[in-house]
Amino acid sequence: MKVVMVLCIWVLVACSQEKPVEAAKPEGVIPQAQLRALEKAKAVEQTLLDADAARRAKADQATSPE
């Protein structure tokens, strides 16, 4: 009896007309979301570098003899 049920289920699954859903393919090698995240990270890095340069200049100005 179990064999008959398994065969019936197998036939129903094998004969189904549904096609597998394809995942959305990115347009390029790197997806746009990753490129935007990279651009934001570069902007944050530049902000940090500017703040560091300003801090160093201020420290140099404070320690230099006049």
Side-chain angles (χ1 to χ4, degrees):
M1 187 68 175
K2 288 183 183 180
V3 174
V4 173
M5 287 177 39
V6 170
L7 286 175
C8 287
I9 292 172
W10 182 77
V11 168
L12 288 174
V13 171
C15 294
S16 67
Q17 295 293 326
E18 294 182 33
K19 303 220 183 237
V21 178
E22 292 184 24
K25 295 181 182 179
E27 293 179 9
V29 176
I30 301 174
Q32 282 299 113
Q34 293 295 322
L35 289 175
R36 284 192 300 271
L38 182 62
E39 289 171 4
K40 286 181 181 181
K42 286 180 181 180
V44 169
E45 179 184 24
Q46 188 59 47
T47 301
L48 291 173
L49 290 173
D50 292 344
D52 183 53
R55 181 188 57 82
R56 287 176 185 260
K58 191 173 184 179
D60 289 342
Q61 185 182 33
T63 58
S64 66
E66 291 184 30

